[in-house]
Amino acid sequence: MMAKTTTRYVCSNCGRSFASYLGRCPNCGAWNTIEEEVVAAPAAAKQAAPRHTSDGHQIRPQRLDQVEIQKETRIGSGLGELNRVLGGGIVPGSLILIGGDPGIGKSTLLLQVSGTLAHEGSKVLYVSGEESASQIKMRAGRLGVGKSGMYLYPETDMPSITQAIDDMHPDYVVIDSVQTMNVPEMSSAVGSVAQIREVTAELMRIAKSNTITIFIVGHVTKEGAIAGPKILEHMVDTVLYFEGDMHHTYRMLRSVKNRFGSTNEIGIFEMHESGLKEVANPSELFLDERLAGATGSAVVVSMEGTRPILVEIQALMTPTQYGNAKRTSSGIDHNKVSLIIAVLEKRANLMLQNQDAYLKATGGVRLDEPAIDLAVAMALASSYRDKEISPTDCFVGEIGLTGEVRRVNHIEDRIKEAAKLGFKRIFVPKNNLQGWTSRDKIEVIGVTSIAEALQRVFA
């Protein structure tokens, strides 16, 4: 007797299913993301393997007051920047998703890490659904890991991959990429919502029941989100985004979810012919091309996770040629720019409504924390007044709608980073200095309003 099949329609963006086709998903609002999916009747359920602890004992229910707190084991990946983003190293049995644009370096990063781990004695299985073993071998030779003892397996069939993992018992598995893997029992096309969901669920079962660390490569959509249903990111332990401009050599690895560490950590790499090289001091990278005597330039000490980074913010103000002034920004939120310009007009008496404003965070970095407000305002005022800001000044502070400069977090770390790079003065919110004095060789100036900051900088 043949199994009964039904048809449903699933949104490839959010994973919500519907009984009929719709042009726009009512759940997430995306257009043209509803796909037809054939669902077979459920077969006899297989009993899932029980989860085990890292020392091999089967996990059983425990009373909360009897649970012993154990520190997660951390294993170095061979790349200090990757260890930082992961929260100190790789946690055994974790499921790690790495997304990024095509050609940005995801496979290169994982091939380097796999080679390092295999060279140190770990058993690594690299599963590729996009390249042959010979192609991976050639790239591994260029990256200097061609003689490592990792295992290559060019395969897309999930039952075959599961069998290979059961036979080998590896310590690490790399799946490149999840959108190419196929579960034969599912009648949906490869890369569909159902296939990705089923593949990820199987990989999660393998990782947790066998304490195997699995890295998954995920493609991204044109909007920059990882392709497939959002549940993909909910299922894994860690989500990393590999970002960068294809026209530059610098790459940023950003953590957006991490069950074993802090989020919004970043690691900086530079792409070379021989692979990815770590950038130990990214602040120098973002500041090394500052033009002496230029107006419209201000430096901010931004926090990315637990790391302070100094970034140059550039602004250009020009008289508008049209009825409405234009606001353009790169690396800075457009709404934040409009808000700060409005505050400068109302609270600092700068006539900016007939000025086009162009802002950029240099180095391809994206800044979105409130502490960059003061530096953005100073860059705009510098360009408008055509007055240079001292190259040894930097700024930290959030600006309110009444023109006040509000306190920010991690002020001590920000000041230490600025002092380490040779800055002479740093402007910070005055409320951050209550009961605290800096021991670094840098003058710390507390300001309470945007008007006071402009007066102190351009006096």
Side-chain angles (χ1 to χ4, degrees):
M1 182 176 178
M2 293 183 62
K4 184 180 178 181
T5 61
T6 59
T7 299
R8 65 178 179 178
Y9 297 86
V10 181
C11 175
S12 60
N13 186 51
C14 66
R16 185 76 175 268
S17 60
F18 306 94
S20 60
Y21 178 80
L22 299 170
R24 184 171 186 254
C25 176
N27 187 51
C28 66
W31 287 91
N32 301 322
T33 57
I34 308 296
E35 299 177 355
E36 184 179 357
E37 184 178 295
V38 179
V39 183
K46 297 184 297 182
Q47 185 174 1
R51 291 178 59 173
H52 293 76
T53 61
S54 57
D55 55 2
H57 293 93
Q58 183 176 336
I59 296 178
R60 298 186 181 279
Q62 286 181 279
R63 278 180 47 174
L64 179 62
D65 56 359
Q66 295 177 348
V67 175
E68 296 181 2
I69 299 177
Q70 297 178 346
K71 188 176 181 181
E72 294 100 352
T73 304
R74 301 279 182 171
I75 300 173
S77 65
L79 291 174
E81 292 294 291
L82 178 59
N83 292 339
R84 168 195 286 272
V85 175
L86 291 175
I90 302 170
V91 177
S94 58
L95 192 61
I96 302 169
L97 174 63
I98 299 181
D101 294 327
I104 204 70
K106 304 183 296 296
S107 300
T108 298
L109 173 67
L110 290 179
L111 197 56
Q112 284 185 235
V113 172
S114 299
T116 302
L117 293 171
H119 184 73
E120 294 176 352
S122 299
K123 186 180 288 188
V124 181
L125 176 62
Y126 192 102
V127 180
S128 175
E130 302 176 347
E131 296 178 292
S132 66
S134 59
Q135 288 176 308
I136 300 173
K137 170 70 174 178
M138 286 189 294
R139 188 149 48 87
R142 177 170 55 83
L143 300 177
V145 294
K147 296 186 181 300
S148 65
M150 79 173 81
Y151 291 83
L152 303 181
Y153 190 30
E155 182 57 81
T156 59
D157 183 65
M158 273 307 296
S160 301
I161 295 169
T162 303
Q163 186 61 47
I165 294 173
D166 291 340
D167 295 340
M168 286 182 55
H169 302 290
D171 301 304
Y172 301 92
V173 175
V174 176
I175 304 294
D176 188 7
S177 65
V178 67
Q179 281 85 4
T180 62
M181 298 297 120
N182 176 47
V183 178
E185 291 81 7
M186 304 290 297
S187 57
S188 305
V190 175
S192 66
V193 172
Q195 286 282 359
I196 294 175
R197 184 173 58 236
E198 193 69 20
V199 168
T200 308
E202 176 66 11
L203 293 173
M204 174 66 79
R205 182 195 65 79
I206 293 172
K208 300 305 178 183
S209 61
N210 300 286
T211 320
I212 297 174
T213 301
I214 300 180
F215 293 90
I216 304 175
V217 174
H219 295 161
V220 297
T221 62
K222 60 183 179 181
E223 290 83 14
I226 293 178
K230 204 66 178 177
I231 192 174
L232 175 63
E233 298 186 34
H234 296 321
M235 293 171 70
V236 301
D237 296 311
T238 304
V239 179
L240 309 178
Y241 275 88
F242 211 35
E243 306 169 350
D245 190 340
M246 296 297 295
H247 303 290
H248 294 82
T249 60
Y250 298 109
R251 304 285 187 266
M252 277 172 284
L253 185 65
R254 185 185 302 270
S255 169
V256 296
K257 174 189 175 181
N258 192 354
R259 290 176 178 157
F260 309 110
S262 65
T263 57
N264 289 324
E265 282 286 1
I266 68 167
I268 311 293
F269 299 89
E270 186 174 5
M271 179 68 79
H272 293 276
E273 182 69 23
S274 58
L276 292 162
K277 306 294 183 184
E278 300 175 78
V279 177
N281 194 336
S283 296
E284 292 182 354
L285 159 69
F286 295 135
L287 299 176
D288 61 355
E289 296 184 8
R290 294 189 71 195
L291 188 63
T295 60
S297 171
V299 176
V300 62
V301 190
S302 176
M303 292 297 297
E304 294 290 345
T306 59
R307 161 184 274 177
I309 295 178
L310 278 82
V311 181
E312 180 189 7
I313 294 178
Q314 295 179 343
L316 178 63
M317 304 291 291
T318 60
T320 184
Q321 302 296 321
Y322 306 99
N324 295 324
K326 187 176 182 181
R327 310 290 187 235
T328 304
S329 61
S330 174
I332 305 171
D333 182 60
H334 179 269
N335 294 326
K336 181 187 290 288
V337 173
S338 300
L339 184 148
I340 294 175
I341 289 176
V343 173
L344 286 173
E345 280 206 17
K346 186 72 174 179
R347 309 300 178 187
N349 298 320
L350 299 183
M351 186 60 66
L352 305 179
Q353 58 186 339
N354 60 350
Q355 298 281 321
D356 290 339
Y358 304 88
L359 278 98
K360 179 180 181 180
T362 60
V365 68
R366 187 178 72 248
L367 302 176
D368 54 12
E369 68 160 338
I372 70 171
D373 291 359
L374 186 57
V376 171
M378 291 299 108
L380 288 166
S382 171
S383 179
Y384 176 73
R385 294 181 173 180
D386 202 26
K387 290 185 177 181
E388 177 194 5
I389 295 175
S390 172
T392 57
D393 287 353
C394 58
F395 305 88
V396 175
E398 178 186 358
I399 295 177
L401 292 181
T402 60
E404 80 277 16
V405 179
R406 306 174 68 88
R407 69 170 71 232
V408 297
N409 58 4
H410 302 293
I411 192 66
E412 297 91 342
D413 296 332
R414 299 176 195 264
I415 292 175
K416 288 180 181 178
E417 182 70 11
K420 185 173 72 174
L421 288 179
F423 283 81
K424 304 299 183 185
R425 295 195 305 177
I426 180 170
F427 292 81
V428 302
K430 195 167 187 178
N431 288 335
N432 271 119
L433 301 181
Q434 294 178 356
W436 177 81
T437 55
S438 173
R439 297 181 178 86
D440 299 289
K441 295 180 180 179
I442 184 173
E443 182 183 0
V444 181
I445 301 175
V447 293
T448 57
S449 67
I450 183 64
E452 179 186 352
L454 290 170
Q455 196 276 330
R456 299 287 296 267
V457 172
F458 298 107

